[in-house]
Amino acid sequence: MCVGLSMVLGCEYNFPDPVPADSFDPGSADFSKLVVLGDELGAGLKDGALYTEAQENSIGKLLSNQISQNNSSPVVFNQPDIESELGYNLMESGSETRGKSFLKFVAPGESQIFKDTNPGELPAVYSGPGLNNFSVPFLRTTEVLDPSLSNNPYYQRFASDPGTSLLIDEVIASSPTMSIIQLGWYDILAFAKGGLTGDANPSPGSVGPTDLTPLELFEDSYGEIISRLIDNTEGEVILINIPDISKFPFFRSIGTRAFINGQEVGFLANFYREYNIQVSRSNKDQPILRPTIQFFSDDPPHLWFAVVDDPALVDRVQEDGSPLPKWRQMEEGEYISWGVPMLPSMESDGLGTTLPIDKSLFFIPSDHEVIGDLVDQYNQVISDIALSNPRIYLFDWYSIAQAWAESGVTFDGVLHTYDFNQSGIFSSDGTSLNARGSALFTNQLAQFINQTFESNIPPTNPNSFPGNTFVNDF
């Protein structure tokens, strides 16, 4: 069933008749100072990086373009332009500055898609006109109220006074007539991307890079941000809730198996021989059995299940009294993190074969359930705050995204999905929308604004925006 707005996955969306030129009607909305405060989605980050083309397709920029399309008074939407085609990528560690990532195939006929990155460049300090887009990639809700946010280079480059200024004060000082708030995503995403190995309930002053922002801290921070906006500005406030992050391709694109040849099967069987002996010995007279590791298949080419280091396995000791490593092979329904592409042979560094994959780099079905439950809890906070004041409105992106993840969205005959393909809506990093996905999202947001404020923002054609491209690296 289609929910609320007319374009959700699984629902056919027909491109509406164009709005006549010079006939734009804002209804009761005031777009003269449209402001966006968010994280990666709001900033326009794509392919793991912030770069010029990505910023030009941020949701705020696209929305302002649509508002201006048939408007005799075009809407100005200034962003902290990064002025870089290469981009700046904080997702990739290493000694060299990396830029935007891309998708590639590594062998003819190979179905597995891999991710690689291009060189990047450090961003310069922004010195342009006053901003409309205050979004910061990898932004936790708590950091909007914290001067230490300037440690994030994406904010440092446009902060009015790095180390002292607060992002919320920057937003308020811009005197927004309409604020679009897209927060809370990274509070969960940082924890989820680490395989849920971070602290699920850290103390408020010690939230680490892969920790979850505690629900109570999120509620307090989000509530204070919105209260300050309501108390210190006169504009309307639109809250965007959180989609089910566990359905993003980052968490579901690399399965459990790959191909190895017969010679490698023999090598790996010998490699794990002593381990299997110790496991079998430790299983004697035990009610819970530990699995052995088997690299074998009757049907060539051999299919093997990647080896992981699973802390959830029961403790056992080896014959010499030392702890038995907690190694097992992956099972159907489990996924390897998109941040660790699985190479097709032992010519790689052995990850998943001779080097078991750490729990921070793979996901089990219960992980997806935990993430989904967290999204529900955070969204309840956002929903409650949306009901607290008549100037606050809730854009239910969660419900739309659920339908999108389930069966895709058809626009003008083209089916768009969560998969990594040419009509997929996610960029190569697996968590951020590509330009086409951003256009689809912005159409939904524009329709919500039209319905809420009786305006007539015209839609854009998402099929005219670039999707994913692939490189043959062979």
Side-chain angles (χ1 to χ4, degrees), residues 143-159:
E143 294 174 321
V144 179
L145 306 164
D146 188 346
S148 68
L149 176 59
S150 60
N151 292 327
N152 182 323
Y154 292 114
Y155 173 59
Q156 184 184 54
R157 58 184 298 268
F158 73 80

Side-chain angles (χ1 to χ4, degrees), residues 135-190:
S135 301
V136 179
F138 317 119
L139 175 67
R140 290 181 187 261
T141 304
T142 55
E143 294 174 321
V144 179
L145 306 164
D146 188 346
S148 68
L149 176 59
S150 60
N151 292 327
N152 182 323
Y154 292 114
Y155 173 59
Q156 184 184 54
R157 58 184 298 268
F158 73 80
S160 60
D161 188 4
T164 301
S165 57
L166 300 180
L167 183 55
I168 184 61
D169 290 337
E170 313 254 23
V171 174
I172 291 171
S174 71
S175 300
T177 59
M178 176 176 285
S179 299
I180 296 175
I181 308 300
Q182 179 264 313
L183 294 172
W185 298 32
Y186 195 69
D187 294 88
I188 301 174
L189 185 59

Side-chain angles (χ1 to χ4, degrees), residues 281-466:
R281 184 199 62 80
S282 75
N283 282 337
K284 186 177 181 181
D285 300 325
Q286 295 290 336
I288 300 176
L289 301 181
R290 286 272 299 269
T292 57
I293 294 176
Q294 302 294 330
F295 285 92
F296 178 77
S297 173
D298 293 330
D299 301 314
H302 298 282
L303 284 172
W304 56 271
F305 288 83
V307 180
V308 297
D309 190 343
D310 186 356
L313 291 179
V314 64
D315 292 334
R316 294 284 173 79
V317 295
Q318 302 186 73
E319 194 169 13
D320 63 3
S322 61
L324 182 65
K326 296 186 175 184
W327 299 338
R328 67 169 177 86
Q329 286 171 285
M330 297 187 74
E331 301 175 356
E332 294 289 355
E334 298 180 339
Y335 293 90
I336 298 168
S337 164
W338 179 240
V340 187
M342 180 60 64
L343 297 179
S345 76
M346 286 294 293
E347 296 175 359
S348 70
D349 60 6
L351 188 66
T353 53
T354 57
L355 179 63
I357 299 171
D358 186 78
K359 179 58 186 76
S360 64
L361 300 175
F362 72 93
F363 308 98
I364 61 179
S366 61
D367 291 338
H368 294 103
E369 294 173 6
V370 169
I371 296 169
D373 289 343
L374 289 171
V375 169
D376 289 343
Q377 294 171 35
Y378 278 54
N379 278 342
Q380 187 60 57
V381 170
I382 296 172
S383 179
D384 290 345
I385 291 173
L387 294 172
S388 67
N389 190 286
R391 285 168 50 201
I392 305 175
Y393 304 85
L394 177 64
F395 173 53
D396 186 15
W397 170 232
Y398 172 87
S399 296
I400 297 170
Q402 286 292 90
W404 286 25
E406 180 67 26
S407 54
V409 56
T410 299
F411 188 98
D412 201 21
V414 178
L415 176 65
H416 304 279
T417 70
Y418 267 37
D419 300 323
F420 283 129
N421 54 43
Q422 290 183 327
S423 59
I425 65 171
F426 278 86
S427 73
S428 58
D429 60 43
T431 59
S432 61
L433 297 176
N434 59 23
R436 189 169 294 178
S438 292
L440 286 162
F441 176 95
T442 307
N443 271 355
Q444 289 289 288
L445 179 58
Q447 285 184 275
F448 170 78
I449 292 172
N450 287 346
Q451 293 173 358
T452 303
F453 300 99
E454 299 184 340
S455 51
N456 65 345
I457 303 171
T460 190
N461 183 354
N463 297 338
S464 66
F465 288 77

Side-chain angles (χ1 to χ4, degrees), residues 266-279 293:
F267 170 81
L268 291 169
N270 185 64
F271 184 87
Y272 284 103
R273 186 183 310 278
E274 179 59 28
Y275 176 78
N276 286 337
I277 290 172
Q278 294 294 333
V279 170
I293 294 176

Side-chain angles (χ1 to χ4, degrees), residues 98-277:
R98 307 305 296 173
K100 55 189 175 183
S101 56
F102 60 93
L103 301 171
K104 68 178 184 179
F105 296 102
V106 298
E110 185 69 47
S111 61
Q112 177 65 58
I113 298 170
F114 298 89
K115 176 172 69 73
D116 205 345
T117 57
N118 288 307
E121 54 191 352
L122 294 172
V125 174
Y126 176 73
S127 59
L131 294 174
N132 298 76
N133 194 347
F134 294 90
S135 301
V136 179
F138 317 119
L139 175 67
R140 290 181 187 261
T141 304
T142 55
E143 294 174 321
V144 179
L145 306 164
D146 188 346
S148 68
L149 176 59
S150 60
N151 292 327
N152 182 323
Y154 292 114
Y155 173 59
Q156 184 184 54
R157 58 184 298 268
F158 73 80
S160 60
D161 188 4
T164 301
S165 57
L166 300 180
L167 183 55
I168 184 61
D169 290 337
E170 313 254 23
V171 174
I172 291 171
S174 71
S175 300
T177 59
M178 176 176 285
S179 299
I180 296 175
I181 308 300
Q182 179 264 313
L183 294 172
W185 298 32
Y186 195 69
D187 294 88
I188 301 174
L189 185 59
F191 178 64
K193 288 178 69 174
L196 283 68
T197 58
D199 192 339
N201 191 31
S203 60
S206 59
V207 179
T210 61
D211 292 345
L212 178 71
T213 301
L215 181 63
E216 184 176 353
L217 181 58
F218 169 75
E219 183 174 12
D220 290 344
S221 300
Y222 200 106
E224 182 176 347
I225 291 165
I226 303 306
S227 292
R228 293 185 62 175
L229 277 173
I230 292 296
D231 293 343
N232 295 282
T233 71
E234 297 181 356
E236 311 301 305
V237 178
I238 296 174
L239 308 183
I240 300 174
N241 63 8
I242 307 168
D244 187 348
I245 290 166
S246 72
K247 291 181 167 57
F248 288 3
F250 183 95
F251 303 99
R252 296 178 180 270
S253 292
I254 304 180
T256 59
R257 299 196 280 184
F259 297 103
I260 57 175
N261 60 42
Q263 181 180 358
E264 291 166 342
V265 167
F267 170 81
L268 291 169
N270 185 64
F271 184 87
Y272 284 103
R273 186 183 310 278
E274 179 59 28
Y275 176 78
N276 286 337
I277 290 172

